[in-house]
Amino acid sequence: MDSAIPQPTAPSSSTAPPSPAAPSSFSVLIRTASHEQHTEAETSTFMSDLLGGRLGVDAYARYTEQLWFVYRALEDGVEALREDPVAGPFLRAELLRVAELERDLAHLRGPGWRERATPLPATAAYAARIEECVRTWPGGYVAHHYTRYLGDLSGGQIIRGRAEKAWGFARKGDGVRFYVFEGIANPAAFKRGYRELLDRLDVVVPDELERHRIVDECKRAFALNTAVFRALGEEFPRVA
């Protein structure tokens, strides 16, 4: 997001007054405004240790379990929001992750994993906020949808590669299916299309203050995610 203030120029009768700067698109605004929170989440101690091979597969399994609770909250809201003019256009079947998480957890945890799965308090708070947005605020739901799914299509692929290497999962197989989007042949093109949908929010959400609320909710989503990482880090401290 461009925030520099144009410098004054000497008046001239032969030059036209400068045109006002074009506003940043909403996709750029939401990305740049949440950059600090995004960086904090992706550089958390837990994720650094996990991706650096300093934690075992049990930590990876526990992380995957926490994702299941978050994505259930996201995807349980799909039917309620499918016809919503704000959230509806973002709800694409090829993004759905719960079934893939369940396959991964069956591989990681074995039979009966559902009965043993427990959300950390931070995870429960994260899922509860998503559920609240489903019930009361489609724009807030979009903020959570954006932070999760576009992240999965980007940095999630790094996690998949590291997990395959560290714990011997088959390439794009059980254990890492969450990160495999079989219905998206061209992730780069899909992400461009997703950002175009974000930019169209200017039309369906004409209120600038409401759009800023969505940006703030995006920051909150990253903060909630960081809290989960922090809790996981306390549960799985680095082994010297």
Side-chain angles (χ1 to χ4, degrees):
M1 179 176 57
D2 295 330
S3 58
I5 300 174
Q7 297 301 308
T9 56
S12 169
S13 60
S14 61
T15 59
S19 300
S24 294
S25 67
F26 188 70
S27 63
V28 172
L29 175 63
I30 200 169
R31 184 177 74 248
T32 55
S34 60
H35 176 74
E36 181 179 346
Q37 290 80 7
H38 186 183
T39 300
E40 182 180 3
E42 67 182 5
T43 59
S44 72
T45 300
F46 174 78
M47 286 307 294
S48 296
D49 288 346
L50 189 69
L51 298 181
R54 294 181 289 275
L55 297 175
V57 70
D58 54 337
Y60 174 77
R62 182 72 160 138
Y63 169 56
T64 304
E65 181 184 85
Q66 301 312 297
L67 291 175
W68 180 63
F69 288 103
V70 172
Y71 281 83
R72 281 180 60 194
L74 277 166
E75 295 177 13
D76 283 353
V78 166
E79 287 306 315
L81 293 172
R82 190 174 298 283
E83 302 303 321
D84 183 83
V86 176
F90 294 90
L91 304 179
R92 303 283 294 272
E94 55 266 49
L95 288 174
L96 299 179
R97 297 290 88 198
V98 167
E100 307 307 323
L101 281 165
E102 292 177 349
R103 290 184 67 176
D104 287 341
L105 286 165
H107 180 75
L108 292 163
R109 295 291 205 191
W113 66 266
R114 291 174 189 268
E115 289 72 26
R116 299 191 303 272
T118 55
L120 292 161
T123 305
Y126 191 176
R129 178 56 184 170
I130 294 171
E131 291 165 353
E132 181 180 5
C133 289
V134 169
R135 294 191 305 270
T136 65
W137 184 27
Y141 177 87
V142 168
H144 289 277
H145 193 278
Y146 160 76
T147 59
R148 294 291 352 161
Y149 292 106
L150 246 60
D152 300 333
L153 283 166
S154 301
Q157 302 313 300
I158 297 173
I159 298 175
R160 176 180 63 79
R162 298 285 179 85
E164 289 169 354
K165 182 177 179 180
W167 300 300
F169 301 127
R171 185 174 183 274
K172 297 186 177 182
D174 290 343
V176 293
R177 291 188 182 278
F178 168 72
Y179 303 102
V180 180
F181 291 82
E182 293 182 344
I184 299 176
N186 187 334
F190 187 93
K191 287 186 285 186
R192 284 196 299 272
Y194 192 105
R195 293 186 184 105
E196 289 171 2
L197 289 177
L198 287 172
D199 291 339
R200 291 177 199 154
L201 285 177
D202 286 358
V203 176
V204 293
V205 186
D207 186 335
E208 184 177 2
L209 289 177
E210 174 64 7
R211 293 198 301 274
H212 279 288
R213 283 185 68 217
I214 295 172
V215 171
D216 287 342
E217 188 66 21
C218 179
K219 296 178 184 180
R220 182 173 184 174
F222 280 120
L224 288 164
N225 192 45
T226 299
V228 174
F229 288 155
R230 190 176 300 116
L232 285 165
E234 292 171 358
E235 188 169 316
F236 295 94
R238 181 190 303 182
V239 177

